[in-house]
Amino acid sequence: MKLKIKDFSSALNNTIGFDFYVDTIDDVVLKDKLHIVGTAISDGSGKVEVSGKYSTKIEVQCVRCLKNIEEDLAGEFTGTFLDESAYRQYMRNLKVECEIDSNEIYDEIIDGEIDLVNLVREYIILDLPPYPQCDPECEDDSEIEKYSNHGIDSRWQQLLQIKN
């Protein structure tokens, strides 16, 4: 879903609420629809602040047995967007090296629209579990047993020969 900036002119208090579902997003396997709910507030001068919550079920691979498992994923998202002219001015004012406060990170409003799905996608990727595992433990330990030899992994043998 994309928010159109022209819709803020007819919105009460320059605030637009949204509540929608998405079937698919890039780079993430959804097992259930992605539910996104939140609000967008425009200050009237080209700056729009978006915030909300999302929830879904995703499919990830267990790092131990490599089986596909489902994970519940829910979180919050925020974003601050500037119209094209304000964003260009913001980019010109950035120094080569500077400290950036989290309140000073802006995205650009492209063609008068804000892509909410892409914003939430970025938060989902950051919220993915880094090492997903079966709960409480894996059913099939064959992959784990195959590589649990306490000897030297043959793939590293060449490197050990260089050291000696």
Side-chain angles (χ1 to χ4, degrees), residues 44-135:
S45 65
K47 181 178 176 182
V48 178
E49 295 195 23
V50 178
S51 63
K53 296 179 180 183
Y54 68 87
S55 62
T56 189
K57 287 183 188 241
I58 59 167
E59 183 178 283
V60 291
Q61 197 173 47
C62 174
V63 295
R64 296 178 50 118
C65 69
L66 306 179
K67 177 184 168 191
N68 288 339
I69 56 175
E70 283 186 18
E71 292 270 339
D72 289 328
L73 196 60
E76 297 180 353
F77 64 91
T78 61
T80 305
F81 294 83
L82 297 174
D83 66 15
E84 287 135 3
S85 62
Y87 188 77
R88 279 194 302 272
Q89 182 66 33
Y90 162 70
M91 294 303 287
R92 273 189 296 238
N93 291 340
L94 282 179
K95 298 176 184 164
V96 175
E97 290 185 28
C98 62
E99 284 186 35
I100 297 180
D101 183 335
S102 62
N103 296 329
E104 297 175 350
I105 299 174
Y106 302 109
D107 289 314
E108 184 177 11
I109 298 171
I110 300 173
D111 296 329
E113 296 179 333
I114 297 172
D115 188 356
L116 292 173
V117 175
N118 193 43
L119 174 65
V120 172
R121 178 189 162 274
E122 292 173 1
Y123 275 86
I124 287 175
I125 290 173
L126 290 172
D127 288 341
L128 286 172
Y131 304 105
Q133 295 180 9
C134 295
D135 188 33

Side-chain angles (χ1 to χ4, degrees), residues 13-56:
N13 297 327
N14 286 334
T15 302
I16 295 176
F18 50 87
D19 185 354
F20 63 97
Y21 291 88
V22 177
D23 292 326
T24 61
I25 56 173
D26 295 337
D27 304 323
V28 178
V29 179
L30 297 177
K31 294 303 282 182
D32 195 9
K33 289 184 179 184
L34 171 63
H35 183 211
I36 301 172
V37 61
T39 58
I41 302 169
S42 173
D43 68 355
S45 65
K47 181 178 176 182
V48 178
E49 295 195 23
V50 178
S51 63
K53 296 179 180 183
Y54 68 87
S55 62
T56 189

Side-chain angles (χ1 to χ4, degrees), residues 131-159:
Y131 304 105
Q133 295 180 9
C134 295
D135 188 33
E137 58 184 46
C138 301
E139 293 174 9
D140 180 15
D141 289 342
S142 63
E143 288 295 317
I144 299 167
E145 293 297 323
K146 186 168 38 172
Y147 296 106
S148 66
N149 181 357
H150 295 296
I152 297 171
D153 188 338
S154 61
R155 296 173 289 183
W156 293 98
Q157 190 65 37
Q158 294 284 335
L159 293 174

